[in-house]
Amino acid sequence: MRQMELKILSEGKVLSGDILKVGNFLNQQIDTDFLKSVADEIAKMFSDEGITKILTIESSGIALAIAAGMVMGVPVVFAKKHKSSNVDGEVYSTKVHSFTHGTDYNAVVSRDYLLQTDKVLLVDDFLASGNALKGLVELVAQAHAELAGAVVAIEKKYQGGGDALRDAGVRVEPLACIESMDEHEIRFCQL
Ligand code: G4P
């Protein structure tokens, strides 16, 4: 079994409302030894791709993105979430619908930090309905940069976002892939 799956089984908690709580090691308290180890795994997956930049979105993806960036020796950029669409021309910006929160926001990144010459790896903690990653894909397209793919710590496959991205031609690599879950059992995807 993969290291992220083992960690979820030992420290994750399924809450009602279909939420997997991983605050103990990934998105509130950070297990730094574990993060280093998964960053090594990410670097290995994309070692032949000539990645020049990692792109994530605030806030919970930032820790994993930085860990990966440190191992891969590339800068990490995070898109900011703005409530209003009133953003200036110095930025790339796209509207994202948060399925979990039922709200919209704009994912915004300065044009200075995403270049046409970049080969970009997307990194995030959760992939559910996939709207956040779709927004990042759109920002890469606006910059005319090259997209290498996306790594997510945890894909909730049954929410469909990962497969929609794959159908659109994006290489999506989950470190753990959940087929189904409830308070009693977490089932991982058969690879
Ligand atoms: P999507 O990006 O895949 O479309 O998913 P969605 O809009 O549903 O996700 C909204 C937020 O909820 C995201 O964080 C996402 O990381 C988080 N999320 C989704 N499923 C789970 C889960 O099972 N457990 C946990 N802990 N989080 C989940 P966010 O609110 O946009 O921001 P942030 O937490 O990164 O600041």
Side-chain angles (χ1 to χ4, degrees):
M1 188 172 273
R2 303 157 78 193
Q3 56 179 340
M4 185 64 74
E5 295 178 351
L6 285 169
K7 193 76 167 170
I8 289 168
L9 288 182
S10 63
E11 296 186 34
K13 215 174 198 168
V14 180
L15 305 182
S16 59
D18 194 36
I19 292 292
L20 176 64
K21 198 162 176 263
V22 290
N24 192 40
F25 63 94
L26 189 65
N27 64 15
Q28 184 164 22
Q29 172 171 260
I30 312 280
D31 181 332
T32 52
D33 283 342
F34 175 69
L35 209 65
K36 167 77 172 63
S37 180
V38 294
D40 290 341
E41 190 181 334
I42 294 170
K44 215 177 270 174
M45 272 180 202
F46 283 87
S47 61
D48 297 332
E49 292 292 331
I51 305 295
T52 65
K53 208 158 273 177
I54 289 175
L55 177 65
T56 186
I57 185 161
E58 63 181 356
S59 60
S60 306
I62 294 176
L64 180 61
I66 289 175
M70 289 174 79
V71 175
M72 295 171 81
V74 298
V76 175
V77 176
F78 61 90
K80 297 194 173 193
K81 292 176 180 169
H82 284 196
K83 275 198 191 118
S84 90
S85 56
N86 187 16
V87 286
D88 63 37
E90 303 302 306
V91 298
Y92 300 117
S93 169
T94 188
K95 191 163 124 177
V96 175
H97 177 72
S98 169
F99 178 79
T100 304
H101 301 299
T103 53
D104 292 342
Y105 61 85
N106 291 287
V108 177
V109 70
S110 166
R111 288 175 183 250
D112 291 341
Y113 306 138
L114 267 189
L115 308 178
Q116 195 171 351
T117 49
D118 277 324
K119 187 158 184 187
V120 181
L121 175 64
L122 307 180
V123 172
D124 208 354
D125 58 344
F126 276 94
L127 170 54
S129 48
N131 290 335
L133 273 187
K134 268 184 238 157
L136 296 183
V137 169
E138 167 61 22
L139 295 179
V140 172
Q142 287 180 18
H144 300 290
E146 187 178 349
L147 180 66
V151 172
V152 292
I154 301 163
E155 175 180 355
K156 291 154 84 186
K157 195 170 171 64
Y158 54 92
Q159 290 189 248
D163 287 338
L165 284 161
R166 290 183 186 97
D167 288 346
V170 180
R171 175 181 172 191
V172 180
E173 300 281 0
L175 301 177
C177 174
I178 297 178
E179 188 76 62
S180 65
M181 66 180 192
D182 60 28
E183 287 89 338
H184 310 290
E185 192 188 18
I186 298 174
R187 293 169 67 110
F188 294 104
C189 311
Q190 301 296 324
L191 296 176

